[in-house]
Amino acid sequence: MEIKVIKINSGIYQIEAGFKAIVLKAKNEAEAIKKACRYLGIRCNEIVSKRG
């Protein structure tokens, strides 16, 4: 699954994963991805290792 991270404003990120999307507050892109995986119920391990 491909994840798109869009920085909207300082500390605000939009995460798009497939047909799901979420807007949330985070300190940085890595934290935003981690939170999005938790909230959207997707497996984050492979995605973070590919991006990092």
Side-chain angles (χ1 to χ4, degrees):
M1 177 182 301
E2 184 180 336
I3 285 196
K4 244 168 82 174
V5 180
I6 302 164
K7 187 172 185 177
I8 296 175
N9 206 344
S10 178
I12 307 292
Y13 293 86
Q14 176 176 324
I15 313 295
E16 298 175 358
F19 293 109
K20 298 178 180 181
I22 189 169
V23 175
L24 45 81
K25 288 175 70 173
K27 295 176 188 171
N28 54 39
E29 185 176 318
E31 182 183 4
I33 292 170
K34 191 174 180 181
K35 284 183 175 183
C37 289
R38 188 177 324 129
Y39 294 140
L40 296 176
I42 54 177
R43 288 184 29 208
C44 207
N45 298 338
E46 304 88 28
I47 296 164
V48 172
S49 63
K50 286 179 188 175
R51 291 184 65 89

